[in-house]
Amino acid sequence: MANGTVNLVEELIAKVPEDFHIRLWDCEFTKEGRERYLKVFIDRTDGEYVSTDDCEKVSVYLSDELDKLDPIAENYYLMVSSPGMDRELKKPWHYEASIGKEVEVSLYAPLSGEYDGLDLKNFGIRSFTGILTSFAEDGEDYKAGFDTVIDLKKKNRKPGARISPQALKEISIELSLKEISKVNLAVKFD
């Protein structure tokens, strides 16, 4: 049921009038407690930020279309919003659209292996922030490349201690999506 609903919303968003400048980022049909929620996350195709007016237009459009089709038997709440500045990258096109941007990466297991001549097995790195540099299909999986900075002395450093530039090493990492539990755009405040 949930997959069918998500597929239907994808089809309906694809038919949104072109002057809305909207595309679907993600869609979830979930149950929280006794309530069901159809959560629709939209993005703008013209580079602008999603406004409350955009959410309202899409909400009215989807509500009208879903009322006509009546595909969902139980009561639910329709929620339309932006995926946020720290949006999660889930689909291949999310990664492709985010190349060159700073991301936060969480892994299922600590990094191991050698990257740029540095063996990361003993560092215990399960998450890092870096620049997404590449994304490509690799057989039945995908690989994503990242440039990040590793603190070589982190294990021995006392909290609040200054970090010497010599203790930092820039490395490039390529990971299978099967190794990654979550990737979000990093929120930067300049």
Side-chain angles (χ1 to χ4, degrees), residues 12-74:
L12 292 173
I13 292 288
K15 296 177 185 174
V16 165
E18 207 170 289
D19 64 337
F20 279 25
H21 302 286
I22 296 296
R23 66 180 169 191
L24 180 68
W25 183 266
D26 198 15
C27 180
E28 301 171 352
F29 189 52
T30 62
K31 185 173 183 180
E32 297 175 21
R34 291 186 280 170
E35 307 295 339
R36 290 225 175 250
Y37 295 90
L38 179 55
K39 298 176 184 178
V40 178
F41 302 97
I42 58 172
D43 195 19
R44 299 254 331 177
T45 57
D46 58 4
E48 296 292 322
Y49 291 109
V50 174
S51 69
T52 53
D53 288 341
D54 295 326
C55 294
E56 183 181 3
K57 284 193 294 190
V58 171
S59 180
V60 168
Y61 167 80
L62 278 177
S63 185
D64 290 346
E65 293 299 314
L66 290 168
D67 284 348
K68 287 180 205 170
L69 298 170
D70 199 23
I72 305 170
E74 60 265 6

Side-chain angles (χ1 to χ4, degrees), residues 154-179:
K154 185 175 184 175
K155 277 189 164 183
N156 300 325
R157 184 174 292 113
K158 293 179 182 173
R162 294 186 70 189
I163 300 172
S164 164
Q166 289 79 20
L168 302 176
K169 179 169 173 78
E170 290 183 31
I171 63 170
S172 296
I173 299 172
E174 188 174 80
L175 300 169
S176 160
L177 287 194
K178 292 177 182 174
E179 299 173 89

